[in-house]
Amino acid sequence: MDATAAAKLLDHYAANARDLPWRLATRDPYRTWLSEVMLQQTTVATVTPRFRRFLERWPTVQALAAAPEEEILGEWAGLGYYARARNLIACARAVAERGRFPATESELRKLPGLGAYTAAAVAAIAFGEDAVPVDTNVERVVARVFGLAKRADVPAAARTWFPAGRHGDFAQALMDLGASICRPKRPACDRCPLAADCRAAALGTPEAFPAPKVKKERPHRHGVAWWIRRGDEVWLVRRPAEGLLGGMASLPGPEWTDDRPQVNALAIHRHGFTHFSLDLHLVPQGDPPAGEGWWQPIADLAAAGLPTLYRKAAEAALAAEREPKLAA
Ligand code: SF4
């Protein structure tokens, strides 16, 4: 790929860059890191208001590091993939302890929870290092421009194409192009600054690149959540720190299993995780189980920081209480 294609893309980016709250004239590794962690598997539209709230509450990595874990997990509620939130906390504390973010990809990679992509993105965007971050948008555009069916071939091609000294801008230019023009379905090749240089467009089959991932069938699991009412309150607990949804507020209940439980459920809420789907059977109970927990006013459930699974399960239980026949 010749350098003029890269120059055309950078010109297009200069004129059309998305106005995103984590992009500033001055480089700020905290903003870059926070946005990249939030954007993993979550859309820009969902992340944007949440990012602003995070920054209002914790404007620096030191402030985030000093915040109570429950508050951060509560603020994260609804963004999903809670292991990311726990890694975020661990990383903020490690950075605060050393005083600042390290400035190179290899040093960033040593921070807790910072994977290869995030380390490369922070190094390139916030520190101007010639690192090559490849997210799904970058992967798709590079695969199409170079005509690569195999995703594994993309990073090497990207390294040959990113212009020296401009890796941060170029990565963001590719991300924007992938989000707005070179979309997964029906890319707008007629509006694309790379149309004359793109192998996939020349072949007339841009959507064929890269080849689709083979989807694995997700296993299905079951869980029981005890629905324990006291007037206008419901009993909530905090999940163990380790494991799925670790440290998050939840309805109480035993560990999930592969077998359908023999219970008389008030309602069943189905939820999709990345690696499996879950039927959560909501079962009314009289008394709270032994162990720690608290009575949460139902009118104030939103303040409990419930992850989406339990928030929707509680809504299903409340709906079933109101309309028992419809929900049965
Ligand atoms: S020409 Fe089409 S396929 Fe190629 S990069 Fe542009 S939008 Fe994507």
Side-chain angles (χ1 to χ4, degrees):
M1 189 59 48
D2 69 33
T4 55
K8 278 189 261 180
L9 181 60
L10 284 169
D11 286 348
H12 183 267
Y13 176 64
N16 298 283
R18 288 179 292 176
D19 181 17
L20 300 172
W22 45 90
R23 290 182 180 167
L24 292 180
T26 51
R27 291 169 172 167
D28 179 349
Y30 175 55
R31 281 176 176 246
T32 306
W33 163 75
L34 183 60
S35 65
E36 289 296 345
V37 176
M38 286 185 156
L39 285 164
Q40 287 161 22
Q41 325 247 11
T42 309
T43 63
V44 166
T46 302
V47 165
T48 298
R50 309 299 297 272
F51 176 84
R52 288 203 172 101
R53 270 185 62 92
F54 251 77
L55 265 201
E56 269 166 32
R57 288 190 73 171
W58 304 296
T60 62
V61 71
Q62 285 77 13
L64 186 65
E69 190 162 317
E70 292 80 31
E71 284 189 23
I72 300 172
L73 291 173
E75 195 61 65
W76 191 274
L79 281 171
Y81 302 93
Y82 295 92
R84 278 187 296 156
R86 292 198 302 280
N87 282 334
L88 183 94
I89 296 166
C91 183
R93 291 179 180 167
V95 171
E97 200 165 298
R98 54 182 292 155
R100 65 175 66 153
F101 278 92
T104 63
E105 181 181 8
S106 59
E107 287 298 310
L108 285 159
R109 192 78 169 83
K110 293 178 189 164
L111 290 170
L114 237 84
Y117 166 75
T118 310
V122 175
I125 296 168
F127 293 110
E129 187 183 343
D130 279 355
V132 181
V134 179
D135 70 354
T136 51
N137 280 330
V138 174
E139 180 183 66
R140 184 171 59 259
V141 178
V142 173
R144 288 175 176 176
V145 169
F146 284 80
L148 302 172
K150 279 171 37 198
R151 290 165 201 270
D153 293 340
V154 166
R159 278 194 288 277
T160 67
W161 191 28
F162 273 55
R166 300 291 307 274
H167 280 216
D169 287 340
F170 199 67
Q172 292 179 98
L174 287 167
M175 290 170 193
D176 280 17
L177 194 81
S180 58
I181 291 179
C182 193
R183 301 169 302 235
K185 299 267 176 237
R186 288 185 286 117
C189 301
D190 53 338
R191 292 194 284 118
C192 179
L194 300 174
D197 309 281
C198 177
R199 179 117 11 122
L203 290 169
T205 54
E207 287 184 23
F209 296 91
K213 286 183 182 157
V214 181
K215 278 203 179 140
K216 283 194 212 137
E217 205 169 302
R218 284 189 305 182
H220 188 64
R221 308 198 71 200
H222 292 272
V224 169
W226 308 123
W227 181 246
I228 307 167
R229 291 284 302 265
R230 184 181 77 176
D232 292 334
E233 298 170 318
V234 64
W235 183 255
L236 297 184
V237 297
R238 197 160 289 289
R239 289 177 63 85
E242 298 302 320
L244 201 64
L245 306 178
M248 301 296 294
S250 73
L251 296 166
E255 282 196 21
W256 304 336
T257 65
D258 294 337
D259 302 318
R260 190 182 177 89
Q262 300 301 313
V263 290
N264 198 2
L266 171 69
I268 300 173
H269 171 63
R270 179 160 291 185
H271 187 82
F273 289 102
T274 320
H275 301 297
F276 65 96
S277 55
L278 177 80
D279 274 356
L280 193 62
H281 303 250
L282 289 130
V283 180
Q285 288 281 306
D287 296 313
E292 288 185 12
W294 69 95
W295 291 108
Q296 180 74 24
I298 286 177
D300 207 17
L301 261 184
L306 288 171
T308 307
L309 165 68
Y310 287 106
R311 182 174 53 76
K312 293 207 165 157
E315 285 167 7
L318 291 167
E321 284 179 340
R322 282 194 301 272
E323 303 266 5
K325 287 206 179 79
L326 287 178

